[in-house]
Amino acid sequence: MEVVALIVALANLIPVDDAVDELDSYMEQGLKYNVTTGDEVEDMFALLSEVKRQIPSITAVSSGAIASDYQRLRVESVCSRLGLVSLAYLWKQDQTLLLDEMIRRGIVAIIVKVAAMGLKPSAHLGKELAELKCHLLQLNESYGINVCGEGGEYETLTLDCPLFRNARIVLDDFEVILHSPDSIAPVGILHPLKFHLEHKPNSFGTIGDSAIAQENSSYLYEVDGAIAHSDVEKKQETLSPVTTVDACTNIDLCISKTGKKLFSIGCWIQDPCGTSEGLKTDLVAVLSRIENQLKEEGLGWMNVLYVHLFISSMKEFGLANEVYVSFITEQKCPLGVPSRSTVELPLVQVGLGNAYVEVLATKEQVKRVLHVQSISCWAPSCIGPYSQATLHGEILYMAGQLGLDPPTMKLCPGGPTAELELALRNSEAVANAFGCSIFSSAIHFLVYCSAHLTSSEKEQVEHTLHSSYITSLDCSNTGSYPSVLYVFASDLPKGAYVEIKPILYVPSPTNDDGVPTREQEAGGSLPASSEAFSAWSAQYSDLDDSCCQVHTISGKICSAVVSVTNDIALKICSTTEQLYHSEEHLKALARFCAFQLAKILIDNGFSWDNLTMLRFYYSVEHSVTADVMSRVFSEAFAELEEGGVGSCTPDGVPIFNIVPVSASGCSTSLSDIISCELLASKV
């Protein structure tokens, strides 16, 4: 897709003292920027505030960040405070290719500062980039410098480029100032003494044309760095939604919780009579309950790694976001905001109100978050309090990825298969930022599909995933394929056909002697199989394991999908009468699921304490309410616990979430009665 950005203003910061080192002007030098009086970032804020005041139509700011999170995050911070969009179309681009393109497109830039090994003030100041290209490439190979100079290796002055329509700058005289005579990496600055403008052929005006000069002068403004920020900040505060977070006492809330150190909390509304007052009220109640649960654990939103946001209508996505940002903000999450996926599910239809939220949280305040809010060609931006991915321990939790064209943030044309292929490329770009790949590091792959897909489109999606992803998997490190589950949702963000949510394994370093790190040693296993459990095993012995996908990594991570198909159900239940409506039959199916999950954990050396996520998806086509499904699974786990296979409800609440969907299964051509999705971790 073609990107069209109209430049309506150019803004420049003039340093007060050229002799001051670049980083000295940044008082706040942490990777995450906090508003700091006197910091140069606040000068940029003042400058852009005035630009926005003079030209209210401005909606975005373009910057040249390529690989520097330090620069990008500061521009994003200012843009966020001013309600602007950050454009960073060079972000994550190959710097060698960028250097080639700048030269090829006629950008004539000379070196005006050097500060790197291999660059000498006497030899290289005043030289054009085109002249130094080969030398810069050699320095990159020898010392790893950024060939575009983003690491401060050099600074440039542009004398000519396609934007200069009337004239080019000609430098007549300059002097070299040796700022630091370091023997390894001397710092030198070129100080222009004399220059003139040279007319360009076929230009629309002449140099010194008084009419042009008079016209342009009315658009030149000088901004004093001491401009007060209060007015802009006050206006920005009014843009932030203020939502009452008092829990609604008349709403019947249910909660689930798994694990110990790394655990999920689910919260939903029990509303079988359909008395909900709407999405806003329900979501406030649910998020308030989760917030209180976190507080009871001595935790807060900063401890949340991931958020699953299920809503009853994607048409109210904007409203859901307003409520969401009144709870989860960057200020409350100093280590980074959690990643998120949002889908529409038939919640009201099964008596779950209008909002259902599940969060993954950790008791450790250690995580690495990737939150790129700038629009670029790299991957879709996340403009708002949710990140592209969150790494905790050795597991990377990636936000739901759509088939969005990164520079335009629009769904790509071509239908479901085109969206899936682009979503895979976007996921790979995010994975690469953490030094891994979806093709060699995937633990589990959740594929959300729109319920509006036709049968042929569903088959095409599965075929595309198989040909573009499954067949390209590198399982040399893990020995098995990641588990894959298709879930059909009522609707997806932006009306997309497909959204994918990978979970990846990013191994942490071991000690020099190969001894695992402390985090890898944690965890236990379920008690040995009891007599009662052995009886269950005998009961299901004639059922093969084809209904189970299990993927383990070094005894530290286990993902599993259990699919209860029609064929499995017919073998479990004694009669086909009212197969999907009889509570007794549902109890039998729930009992089978609980057994299979316990067996998977036992066989792979995991315990219920290691459980980080457990969901049961069921199709609303079977007209079963959520409270019935929850009850039969609670009874199944209670029976399992009585059978001596560990404590399934250590905190007296369910360890599972019941999720209503249009359909689910390990294949798009199958519709499971129940699909089980499990993740356990010892890291």
Side-chain angles (χ1 to χ4, degrees):
M1 294 184 182
E2 183 181 359
V3 180
V4 179
L6 178 64
I7 299 175
V8 296
L10 295 175
N12 293 283
L13 283 175
I14 302 175
V16 176
D17 184 359
D18 288 339
V20 177
D21 187 78
E22 180 181 1
L23 275 181
D24 288 344
S25 58
Y26 293 97
M27 299 177 66
E28 169 56 67
Q29 297 185 15
L31 189 60
K32 180 177 175 59
Y33 177 70
N34 297 306
V35 176
T36 305
T37 303
D39 193 286
E40 189 174 60
V41 174
E42 297 312 301
D43 295 336
M44 178 167 60
F45 178 87
L47 176 64
L48 293 179
S49 298
E50 181 65 11
V51 171
K52 189 174 180 181
R53 188 182 72 83
Q54 295 283 358
I55 312 175
S57 60
I58 282 180
T59 58
V61 173
S62 180
S63 64
I66 303 172
S68 172
D69 283 304
Y70 188 90
Q71 295 179 24
R72 174 184 60 78
L73 288 167
R74 279 155 174 75
V75 174
E76 289 177 353
S77 173
V78 171
C79 287
S80 176
R81 291 156 62 190
L82 291 171
L84 297 170
V85 175
S86 171
L87 304 177
Y89 289 120
L90 303 185
W91 180 249
K92 293 294 184 182
Q93 297 289 320
D94 183 285
Q95 296 203 22
T96 300
L97 297 180
L98 282 179
L99 182 62
D100 285 339
E101 187 174 5
M102 285 187 286
I103 295 171
R104 180 175 59 83
R105 289 182 177 271
I107 295 178
V108 179
I110 62 170
I111 304 292
V112 295
K113 179 182 178 181
V114 294
M117 183 182 296
L119 291 176
K120 300 178 180 179
S122 59
H124 300 124
L125 287 175
K127 295 291 182 67
E128 293 184 11
L129 282 180
E131 298 178 75
L132 294 178
K133 174 185 170 183
C134 293
H135 184 62
L136 292 172
L137 293 176
Q138 289 175 355
L139 294 181
N140 172 261
E141 185 174 344
S142 300
Y143 309 120
I145 76 161
N146 297 297
V147 295
C148 289
E150 196 182 31
E153 294 89 347
Y154 66 86
E155 305 289 347
T156 61
L157 171 66
T158 299
L159 301 180
D160 192 16
C161 71
L163 286 178
F164 295 1
R165 294 181 297 174
N166 295 324
R168 62 175 62 89
I169 302 171
V170 178
L171 187 61
D172 299 314
D173 192 16
F174 63 85
E175 66 175 340
V176 172
I177 300 174
L178 191 60
H179 181 58
S180 173
D182 188 271
S183 59
I184 298 176
V187 178
I189 300 171
L190 181 149
H191 181 62
L193 297 176
K194 186 179 180 182
F195 62 89
H196 71 276
L197 299 181
E198 184 177 283
H199 177 69
K200 297 177 75 168
N202 303 319
S203 64
F204 296 101
T206 59
I207 306 304
D209 187 312
S210 59
I212 294 178
Q214 184 176 3
E215 178 185 355
N216 290 342
S217 66
S218 63
Y219 295 99
L220 297 176
Y221 302 96
E222 184 173 335
V223 181
D224 187 348
I227 284 181
H229 298 54
S230 57
D231 290 343
V232 180
E233 295 284 17
K234 287 178 181 177
K235 289 179 181 178
Q236 183 63 18
E237 287 176 4
T238 62
L239 296 176
S240 301
V242 179
T243 307
T244 303
V245 295
D246 295 333
C248 302
T249 56
N250 62 331
I251 295 179
D252 189 4
L253 294 168
C254 301
I255 201 158
S256 67
K257 185 176 180 294
T258 66
K260 293 293 184 182
K261 289 175 58 178
L262 179 64
F263 56 91
S264 63
I265 299 174
C267 186
W268 62 95
I269 295 171
Q270 194 163 312
D271 183 32
C273 299
T275 58
S276 167
E277 296 181 15
L279 174 65
K280 182 176 181 179
T281 300
D282 289 357
L283 187 53
V284 166
V286 168
L287 289 173
S288 295
R289 181 65 181 88
I290 291 178
E291 187 172 67
N292 290 334
Q293 181 68 32
L294 289 169
K295 288 179 180 178
E296 290 175 13
E297 302 273 346
L299 310 175
W301 292 111
M302 69 178 68
N303 298 93
V304 173
L305 307 174
Y306 202 98
V307 178
H308 283 90
L309 178 59
F310 303 134
I311 57 178
S312 60
S313 174
M314 199 56 68
K315 293 178 180 178
E316 295 189 287
F317 181 80
L319 177 60
N321 262 339
E322 288 183 9
V323 176
Y324 185 88
V325 300
S326 67
F327 284 85
I328 304 174
T329 65
E330 292 186 352
Q331 290 71 28
K332 294 179 182 179
C333 304
L335 298 179
V337 289
S339 303
R340 190 183 87 176
S341 67
T342 306
V343 298
E344 176 187 320
L345 296 180
L347 303 176
V348 176
Q349 188 173 338
V350 296
L352 291 178
N354 291 276
Y356 188 152
V357 175
E358 180 187 346
V359 303
L360 179 66
T362 174
K363 292 187 176 180
E364 301 173 332
Q365 291 191 23
V366 178
K367 61 180 177 181
R368 178 184 164 197
V369 168
L370 179 67
H371 186 201
V372 179
Q373 299 183 70
S374 300
I375 294 178
S376 68
C377 297
W378 162 71
S381 63
C382 286
I383 303 176
Y386 37 91
S387 302
Q388 279 90 352
T390 301
L391 177 65
H392 175 72
E394 295 180 318
I395 304 181
L396 182 67
Y397 306 92
M398 195 178 297
Q401 290 291 325
L402 303 173
L404 293 175
D405 179 52
T408 63
M409 290 298 290
K410 294 182 179 178
L411 285 172
C412 67
T417 56
E419 285 187 20
L420 176 58
E421 289 176 343
L422 184 51
L424 288 170
R425 291 200 295 273
N426 291 337
S427 298
E428 180 67 358
V430 174
N432 292 165
F434 289 86
C436 62
S437 168
I438 63 172
F439 296 98
S440 59
S441 306
I443 300 169
H444 176 61
F445 229 79
L446 179 61
V447 185
Y448 287 119
C449 299
S450 170
H452 303 297
L453 293 180
T454 64
S455 297
S456 61
E457 287 174 333
K458 292 178 181 178
E459 293 176 1
Q460 291 170 8
V461 165
E462 185 172 359
H463 174 75
T464 300
L465 185 70
H466 188 270
S467 59
S468 299
Y469 177 68
I470 302 295
T471 57
S472 302
L473 285 172
D474 176 9
C475 299
S476 57
N477 293 328
T478 59
S480 61
Y481 286 106
S483 51
V484 178
L485 178 64
Y486 295 91
V487 171
F488 290 87
S490 305
D491 200 4
L492 301 175
K494 296 181 179 291
Y497 290 113
V498 180
E499 176 180 320
I500 57 177
K501 192 178 79 64
I503 300 177
L504 307 181
Y505 171 57
V506 184
S508 60
T510 59
N511 299 330
D512 293 338
D513 58 2
V515 177
T517 61
R518 177 185 60 80
E519 289 82 2
Q520 296 172 1
E521 296 171 350
S525 60
L526 288 174
S529 300
S530 64
E531 182 177 342
F533 192 76
S534 298
W536 284 24
S537 298
Q539 178 182 350
Y540 302 125
S541 60
D542 60 333
L543 298 175
D544 58 40
D545 292 333
S546 62
C547 64
C548 299
Q549 300 177 58
V550 182
H551 181 56
T552 61
I553 299 176
S554 305
K556 299 180 296 183
I557 302 169
C558 177
S559 68
V561 171
V562 178
S563 299
V564 181
T565 61
N566 286 331
D567 291 340
I568 294 292
L570 289 172
K571 293 177 181 179
I572 295 172
C573 301
S574 57
T575 174
T576 59
E577 182 183 359
Q578 292 184 331
L579 182 60
Y580 310 125
H581 303 284
S582 165
E583 190 165 327
E584 287 303 312
H585 287 166
L586 288 175
K587 286 180 181 179
L589 300 183
R591 191 172 184 266
F592 171 76
C593 292
F595 161 76
Q596 287 290 354
L597 296 171
K599 184 175 183 296
I600 289 170
L601 293 175
I602 289 173
D603 290 347
N604 292 283
F606 289 84
S607 73
W608 294 114
D609 285 347
N610 302 134
L611 192 65
T612 62
M613 175 268 290
L614 178 57
R615 299 189 197 101
F616 296 112
Y617 300 93
Y618 76 101
S619 173
V620 295
E621 291 182 359
H622 304 317
S623 302
V624 180
T625 60
D627 61 328
V628 170
M629 293 296 294
S630 183
R631 183 167 61 251
V632 297
F633 273 101
S634 293
E635 292 176 1
F637 277 100
E639 184 179 352
L640 190 68
E641 191 168 337
E642 290 174 2
V645 190
S647 176
C648 307
T649 55
D651 295 306
V653 295
I655 60 171
F656 55 83
N657 289 301
I658 300 293
V659 184
V661 295
S662 297
S664 63
C666 59
S667 169
T668 58
S669 60
L670 297 175
S671 180
D672 293 351
I673 300 173
I674 299 170
S675 297
C676 313
E677 184 184 25
L678 173 148
L679 181 67
S681 169
K682 296 179 184 178
V683 299

